[in-house]
Protein backbone atom coordinates (compact mmCIF):
# COMPACT_ATOMS: atom_id res chain seq x y z
CA UNK A 1 0.00 0.00 0.00
CA UNK A 2 2.88 2.37 0.80
CA UNK A 3 4.16 1.84 -2.75
CA UNK A 4 0.85 2.84 -4.35
CA UNK A 5 -0.40 -0.69 -5.09
CA UNK A 6 -2.64 -2.58 -2.72
CA UNK A 7 -3.89 -6.12 -2.34
CA UNK A 8 -6.80 -7.10 -0.13
CA UNK A 9 -8.36 -10.31 1.08
CA UNK A 10 -11.80 -10.75 2.57
CA UNK A 11 -14.69 -13.19 2.65
CA UNK A 12 -15.38 -13.15 -1.09
CA UNK A 13 -12.01 -12.50 -2.79
CA UNK A 14 -8.23 -12.72 -2.43
CA UNK A 15 -6.19 -10.28 -4.54
CA UNK A 16 -3.07 -12.41 -4.09
CA UNK A 17 -4.61 -14.81 -6.64
CA UNK A 18 -4.84 -12.05 -9.27
CA UNK A 19 -1.60 -12.65 -11.21
CA UNK A 20 -1.53 -9.17 -12.74
CA UNK A 21 -2.09 -7.31 -9.46
CA UNK A 22 0.21 -9.64 -7.50
CA UNK A 23 2.98 -9.10 -10.07
CA UNK A 24 2.58 -5.30 -9.92
CA UNK A 25 2.65 -5.40 -6.11
CA UNK A 26 5.74 -7.63 -6.06
CA UNK A 27 7.58 -5.46 -8.61
CA UNK A 28 6.67 -2.28 -6.75
CA UNK A 29 7.80 -3.73 -3.42
CA UNK A 30 11.11 -5.06 -4.81
CA UNK A 31 11.82 -1.68 -6.42
CA UNK A 32 11.13 0.08 -3.12
CA UNK A 33 13.29 -2.38 -1.15
CA UNK A 34 16.14 -2.01 -3.64
CA UNK A 35 16.23 1.73 -2.95
CA UNK A 36 16.30 1.09 0.82
CA UNK A 37 19.06 -1.54 0.81
CA UNK A 38 22.69 -0.40 0.92
CA UNK A 39 24.33 -1.15 -2.43
CA UNK A 40 21.03 -1.32 -4.34
CA UNK A 41 21.39 -5.02 -5.21
CA UNK A 42 18.36 -6.79 -6.69
CA UNK A 43 19.43 -9.98 -4.92
CA UNK A 44 19.61 -8.24 -1.54
CA UNK A 45 16.23 -6.63 -2.27
CA UNK A 46 14.82 -10.14 -2.85
CA UNK A 47 16.37 -11.25 0.46
CA UNK A 48 14.76 -8.25 2.18
CA UNK A 49 11.44 -9.18 0.56
CA UNK A 50 11.44 -12.67 2.10
CA UNK A 51 12.85 -11.56 5.47
CA UNK A 52 12.73 -7.85 6.20
CA UNK A 53 14.71 -4.75 5.26
CA UNK A 54 15.94 -4.54 8.86
CA UNK A 55 17.32 -8.10 8.80
CA UNK A 56 19.27 -7.39 5.61
CA UNK A 57 20.47 -3.95 6.76
CA UNK A 58 21.60 -5.37 10.12
CA UNK A 59 23.48 -8.21 8.40
CA UNK A 60 25.12 -5.74 5.99
CA UNK A 61 26.20 -3.59 8.93
CA UNK A 62 27.46 -6.55 10.98
CA UNK A 63 29.57 -7.84 8.09
CA UNK A 64 30.46 -4.44 6.60
CA UNK A 65 29.47 -5.70 3.13
CA UNK A 66 26.67 -5.16 0.62
CA UNK A 67 27.01 -8.19 -1.68
CA UNK A 68 24.67 -11.14 -1.13
CA UNK A 69 27.71 -13.43 -1.44
CA UNK A 70 29.56 -11.62 1.39
CA UNK A 71 26.71 -11.23 3.88
CA UNK A 72 25.66 -14.34 5.85
CA UNK A 73 21.88 -14.47 6.11
CA UNK A 74 19.66 -17.07 7.76
CA UNK A 75 20.22 -20.44 5.97
CA UNK A 76 16.63 -20.76 4.73
CA UNK A 77 16.86 -17.32 3.10
CA UNK A 78 20.21 -18.11 1.46
CA UNK A 79 18.81 -21.37 0.10
CA UNK A 80 15.68 -19.70 -1.24
CA UNK A 81 17.59 -16.89 -2.98
CA UNK A 82 20.11 -19.37 -4.45
CA UNK A 83 17.20 -21.45 -5.79
CA UNK A 84 15.68 -18.34 -7.40
CA UNK A 85 19.03 -17.59 -9.04
CA UNK A 86 19.37 -21.21 -10.22
CA UNK A 87 15.85 -21.22 -11.66
CA UNK A 88 16.59 -17.97 -13.50
CA UNK A 89 19.74 -19.50 -15.03
CA UNK A 90 17.94 -22.70 -15.97
CA UNK A 91 15.02 -20.78 -17.48
CA UNK A 92 17.44 -18.77 -19.62
CA UNK A 93 19.18 -21.94 -20.87
CA UNK A 94 16.38 -24.51 -21.11
CA UNK A 95 17.80 -26.19 -24.21
CA UNK A 96 21.19 -26.70 -22.55
CA UNK A 97 19.49 -28.39 -19.58
CA UNK A 98 17.22 -30.43 -21.90
CA UNK A 99 14.07 -28.88 -20.52
CA UNK A 100 11.18 -28.68 -22.93
CA UNK A 101 8.16 -27.15 -21.26
CA UNK A 102 5.46 -26.38 -23.83
CA UNK A 103 4.63 -22.67 -23.83
CA UNK A 104 1.10 -21.78 -22.91
CA UNK A 105 -0.66 -19.34 -25.20
CA UNK A 106 -1.23 -15.93 -23.62
CA UNK A 107 -4.52 -15.46 -21.83
CA UNK A 108 -6.52 -13.10 -24.01
CA UNK A 109 -9.55 -11.52 -22.37
CA UNK A 110 -11.67 -8.43 -21.95
CA UNK A 111 -11.39 -6.65 -18.60
CA UNK A 112 -14.59 -4.83 -17.76
CA UNK A 113 -13.76 -2.31 -15.06
CA UNK A 114 -15.67 -0.08 -12.67
CA UNK A 115 -18.81 -2.24 -12.54
CA UNK A 116 -20.98 -1.12 -9.63
CA UNK A 117 -23.65 -3.71 -9.03
CA UNK A 118 -27.12 -2.93 -7.72
CA UNK A 119 -27.29 -6.47 -6.32
CA UNK A 120 -24.96 -9.45 -5.97
CA UNK A 121 -24.25 -11.50 -9.09
CA UNK A 122 -23.14 -15.13 -8.87
CA UNK A 123 -20.61 -16.91 -11.04
CA UNK A 124 -23.44 -19.15 -12.27
CA UNK A 125 -25.45 -16.10 -13.39
CA UNK A 126 -22.41 -14.62 -15.16
CA UNK A 127 -21.76 -17.94 -16.88
CA UNK A 128 -25.32 -18.05 -18.22
CA UNK A 129 -25.11 -14.41 -19.37
CA UNK A 130 -21.85 -15.09 -21.21
CA UNK A 131 -22.73 -18.57 -22.48
CA UNK A 132 -19.65 -20.16 -20.91
CA UNK A 133 -19.10 -22.70 -18.10
CA UNK A 134 -18.91 -21.41 -14.54
CA UNK A 135 -15.39 -22.83 -14.26
CA UNK A 136 -14.32 -20.51 -17.10
CA UNK A 137 -15.62 -17.49 -15.16
CA UNK A 138 -13.60 -18.62 -12.12
CA UNK A 139 -10.51 -19.30 -14.27
CA UNK A 140 -10.66 -15.77 -15.70
CA UNK A 141 -11.26 -14.26 -12.23
CA UNK A 142 -8.91 -16.21 -9.93
CA UNK A 143 -9.15 -13.70 -7.09
CA UNK A 144 -12.81 -14.62 -6.59
CA UNK A 145 -13.13 -17.28 -3.89
CA UNK A 146 -14.85 -20.29 -5.43
CA UNK A 147 -16.36 -21.19 -2.04
CA UNK A 148 -18.38 -17.96 -2.25
CA UNK A 149 -18.75 -17.67 -6.03
CA UNK A 150 -20.39 -14.24 -5.97
CA UNK A 151 -19.44 -10.67 -6.85
CA UNK A 152 -21.14 -8.73 -4.03
CA UNK A 153 -22.69 -5.33 -4.61
CA UNK A 154 -21.79 -4.02 -1.15
CA UNK A 155 -19.10 -4.35 1.47
CA UNK A 156 -20.92 -3.28 4.61
CA UNK A 157 -22.60 -0.07 3.42
CA UNK A 158 -20.00 0.78 0.77
CA UNK A 159 -20.81 0.04 -2.89
CA UNK A 160 -18.06 -1.97 -4.58
CA UNK A 161 -16.67 -1.32 -8.06
CA UNK A 162 -15.67 -4.59 -9.72
CA UNK A 163 -13.24 -5.48 -12.47
CA UNK A 164 -14.53 -8.62 -14.15
CA UNK A 165 -12.53 -10.58 -16.72
CA UNK A 166 -14.47 -12.23 -19.54
CA UNK A 167 -13.48 -14.03 -22.76
CA UNK A 168 -12.19 -11.77 -25.53
CA UNK A 169 -15.04 -10.05 -27.34
CA UNK A 170 -17.62 -10.61 -24.56
CA UNK A 171 -17.06 -7.43 -22.52
CA UNK A 172 -19.87 -5.48 -24.19
CA UNK A 173 -22.16 -8.51 -23.88
CA UNK A 174 -21.54 -8.65 -20.13
CA UNK A 175 -22.40 -4.98 -19.66
CA UNK A 176 -25.54 -5.38 -21.79
CA UNK A 177 -26.69 -8.50 -19.87
CA UNK A 178 -25.96 -6.96 -16.46
CA UNK A 179 -27.94 -3.89 -17.44
CA UNK A 180 -30.86 -5.95 -18.81
CA UNK A 181 -31.01 -8.13 -15.69
CA UNK A 182 -30.99 -5.12 -13.35
CA UNK A 183 -27.61 -6.02 -11.81
CA UNK A 184 -25.86 -2.86 -12.98
CA UNK A 185 -26.05 0.24 -10.79
CA UNK A 186 -26.88 3.55 -12.48
CA UNK A 187 -23.58 5.07 -11.18
CA UNK A 188 -21.47 2.31 -12.74
CA UNK A 189 -18.58 3.48 -14.94
CA UNK A 190 -17.65 0.93 -17.57
CA UNK A 191 -14.48 0.73 -19.59
CA UNK A 192 -12.81 -2.13 -21.40
Amino acid sequence: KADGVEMQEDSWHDDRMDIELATRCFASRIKSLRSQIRGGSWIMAAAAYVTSPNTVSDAQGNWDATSFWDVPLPPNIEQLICRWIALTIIHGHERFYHINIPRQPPLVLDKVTGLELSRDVSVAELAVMLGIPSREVLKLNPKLKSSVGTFPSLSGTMRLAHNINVPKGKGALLVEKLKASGHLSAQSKRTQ
Side-chain angles (χ1 to χ4, degrees):
K1 187 174 182 178
D3 299 327
V5 187
E6 184 178 5
M7 289 196 297
Q8 297 178 346
E9 191 265 338
D10 58 27
S11 63
W12 67 273
H13 86 295
D14 184 350
D15 283 336
R16 294 172 298 177
M17 303 309 291
D18 182 330
I19 190 92
E20 182 182 334
L21 179 59
T23 301
R24 283 190 291 125
C25 285
F26 175 79
S28 176
R29 185 71 182 131
I30 286 290
K31 182 179 177 184
S32 174
L33 288 169
R34 185 176 179 218
S35 70
Q36 296 173 32
I37 299 299
R38 209 165 41 121
S41 162
W42 286 108
I43 296 172
M44 290 304 272
Y49 181 82
V50 295
T51 59
S52 75
N54 290 341
T55 299
V56 170
S57 292
D58 290 349
Q60 285 179 326
N62 290 341
W63 292 92
D64 193 29
T66 58
S67 170
F68 173 79
W69 308 109
D70 295 332
V71 177
L73 292 167
N76 60 327
I77 301 309
E78 288 191 358
Q79 290 171 1
L80 179 63
I81 299 300
C82 288
R83 287 178 180 159
W84 280 356
I85 294 168
L87 286 171
T88 301
I89 292 168
I90 291 167
H91 178 70
H93 302 87
E94 290 177 357
R95 288 176 62 190
F96 176 81
Y97 292 104
H98 305 287
I99 295 173
N100 186 16
I101 300 171
R103 299 287 182 232
Q104 296 295 317
L107 186 59
V108 181
L109 51 82
D110 284 353
K111 182 180 289 252
V112 186
T113 62
L115 292 173
E116 291 186 15
L117 303 172
S118 57
R119 64 179 198 265
D120 297 357
V121 63
S122 71
V123 167
E125 290 173 294
L126 288 173
V128 169
M129 289 177 193
L130 297 167
I132 61 174
S134 294
R135 283 190 180 269
E136 184 71 12
V137 175
L138 287 172
K139 179 182 170 187
L140 292 170
N141 297 280
K143 70 180 183 179
L144 186 64
K145 291 183 177 178
S146 59
S147 59
V148 177
T150 299
F151 286 95
S153 58
L154 301 171
S155 176
T157 59
M158 187 175 91
R159 185 157 308 278
L160 298 172
H162 292 285
N163 298 333
I164 301 178
N165 298 328
V166 298
K168 186 72 176 161
K170 294 205 178 223
L173 175 66
L174 175 65
V175 172
E176 176 186 314
K177 295 280 187 170
L178 287 171
K179 197 180 287 184
S181 66
H183 280 94
L184 204 55
S185 170
Q187 307 94 286
S188 189
K189 302 176 220 107
R190 296 167 300 281
T191 58
Q192 294 183 25

